[in-house]
Amino acid sequence: MFRNSRNITVHGGTFAVTEQFIHSEPALLNMFKASALGALYQSQEQPDLALHCDAQKPTLLAVSDWSLSDSGRKPILWLHGPSKDLNHAIAYIIARESAQRRELAASFFFSTGRTRCSSIDHFAPTIALQLALSLPRFHSVLARSLAEDPWVTNRAVPVQFETLVLKPLCTITDSWAHEPLLVLIDALDDCEGEENQDAIIMQVARLAHAHRDRLRFIIVSSSAPALRILHKKPQLRAVCVARDVRGMHELQTPRILLVKRRAVLVTSFFF
């Protein structure tokens, strides 16, 4: 998992950590214990993609359009719709394709049926843990932050986010050699408590403001939290584009889009 660590294996999204790792990375191990490994993309069962194929295509085209258009300058895309199954299928495909292109920095799949996956308490540690995988320098900076405050995973969510995500990212920006990476959040409405859903969005907005040229964010949820939060927090519209998946079926047929130096066939999203 970590660049300079040994004896770590990954099986279906679950990490087996040996005694040597415990001795070499004690601070990171504490955060590991506070994370929700069941919320990782790799731990998700593949949904029935064929069942939602026709509905997925226009939404995924819209994702590509957002990433390339002027609206893509707003670093948050919020996809919402009434069908949880469709929403999850869309999130899964986006995560899978982004991971295959090495563009997925982190993900969190909220779920009321998975241990820890419905609690805000594990959100920041889980995101930070994955950023340590995606960004080599982030690992060492994060370890220093945890050494300075070993109990940060027990603190309030804004403090967790500041210590585990925001500050480490600010430290490594001078050496950022990546094109923008994606952070994906699925089923936000499965996070327990509307106030916690609001808190997650506000922390994501802080991150988007600070690192809009380095990170992109896709949030997938039912329509209720999207409409509620965007109504309560109109300032989010400065960094967020919201799209109802039900209104995307008039988009054009799949086409080839150029992403900087790379050609991407949009139909590759679908299977």
Side-chain angles (χ1 to χ4, degrees), residues 35-47 49 84-99 104-120 122-123 126-127 130 182-192 200 218-221:
S35 299
L37 300 184
L40 303 181
Y41 151 67
Q42 297 96 327
S43 72
Q44 301 297 305
E45 294 182 4
Q46 178 169 320
L49 304 180
K84 279 197 171 187
D85 289 342
L86 172 58
N87 293 346
H88 178 61
I90 290 169
Y92 183 91
I93 296 173
I94 293 171
R96 184 188 68 186
E97 296 298 318
S98 299
L104 183 65
S107 62
F108 198 105
F109 284 72
F110 282 99
S111 174
T112 55
R114 286 175 174 262
T115 304
R116 295 185 170 209
C117 297
S118 60
S119 172
I120 193 175
H122 308 289
F123 180 73
T126 306
I127 296 296
Q130 294 170 87
L182 177 66
V183 176
L184 173 69
I185 302 169
D186 180 43
L188 178 68
D189 39 315
D190 277 356
C191 177
E192 295 174 347
I200 285 174
I218 294 181
I219 301 166
V220 184
S221 76

Side-chain angles (χ1 to χ4, degrees), residues 60-61 63-65 67-68 93-94 97-98 100-103 179 253-270:
L60 295 168
L61 281 168
V63 172
S64 295
D65 285 345
S67 69
L68 297 173
I93 296 173
I94 293 171
E97 296 298 318
S98 299
Q100 289 175 354
R101 296 195 304 271
R102 299 183 180 275
E103 294 173 352
E179 294 182 6
T253 55
R255 60 195 181 280
I256 292 179
L257 301 173
L258 294 177
V259 184
K260 295 189 177 179
R261 298 178 298 277
R262 182 174 63 245
V264 177
L265 181 61
V266 177
T267 47
S268 68
F269 274 112
F270 308 144

Side-chain angles (χ1 to χ4, degrees), residues 74-242:
K74 295 183 178 181
I76 303 173
L77 174 63
W78 196 334
L79 301 173
H80 59 90
S83 170
K84 279 197 171 187
D85 289 342
L86 172 58
N87 293 346
H88 178 61
I90 290 169
Y92 183 91
I93 296 173
I94 293 171
R96 184 188 68 186
E97 296 298 318
S98 299
Q100 289 175 354
R101 296 195 304 271
R102 299 183 180 275
E103 294 173 352
L104 183 65
S107 62
F108 198 105
F109 284 72
F110 282 99
S111 174
T112 55
R114 286 175 174 262
T115 304
R116 295 185 170 209
C117 297
S118 60
S119 172
I120 193 175
D121 296 337
H122 308 289
F123 180 73
T126 306
I127 296 296
L129 193 67
Q130 294 170 87
L131 290 175
L133 270 168
S134 304
L135 304 170
R137 281 198 62 206
F138 188 93
H139 166 212
S140 57
V141 176
L142 178 62
R144 289 199 299 272
S145 296
L146 286 163
E148 293 170 1
D149 187 358
W151 308 111
V152 65
T153 55
N154 295 317
R155 303 196 189 284
V157 170
V159 177
Q160 289 186 30
F161 223 80
E162 181 82 19
T163 304
L164 300 177
V165 181
L166 272 170
K167 285 185 176 179
L169 279 174
C170 288
T171 302
I172 67 170
T173 52
D174 59 336
S175 63
W176 191 278
H178 302 274
E179 294 182 6
L181 296 175
L182 177 66
V183 176
L184 173 69
I185 302 169
D186 180 43
L188 178 68
D189 39 315
D190 277 356
C191 177
E192 295 174 347
E194 290 186 358
E195 69 283 359
N196 291 331
Q197 297 169 16
D198 294 8
I200 285 174
I201 292 301
M202 296 314 296
Q203 295 310 312
V204 169
R206 288 179 66 198
L207 195 54
H209 275 292
H211 301 285
R212 63 190 306 149
D213 294 329
R214 301 175 180 91
L215 294 173
R216 295 287 181 89
F217 304 83
I218 294 181
I219 301 166
V220 184
S221 76
S222 67
S223 298
L227 298 176
R228 185 191 75 249
I229 294 173
L230 289 171
H231 176 73
K232 288 171 55 178
K233 308 286 185 182
Q235 66 270 30
L236 284 175
R237 297 185 184 276
V239 292
C240 180
V241 178

Side-chain angles (χ1 to χ4, degrees), residues 15-72:
F15 297 87
V17 185
T18 67
E19 185 177 357
Q20 180 175 346
F21 176 68
I22 293 173
H23 289 304
S24 63
E25 302 283 1
L28 288 170
L29 182 63
N30 288 338
M31 192 183 67
F32 176 92
K33 292 178 178 178
S35 299
L37 300 184
L40 303 181
Y41 151 67
Q42 297 96 327
S43 72
Q44 301 297 305
E45 294 182 4
Q46 178 169 320
D48 188 344
L49 304 180
L51 182 63
H52 303 289
C53 179
D54 290 340
Q56 291 162 13
K57 291 181 180 180
T59 304
L60 295 168
L61 281 168
V63 172
S64 295
D65 285 345
W66 163 76
S67 69
L68 297 173
S69 67
D70 288 342
S71 64

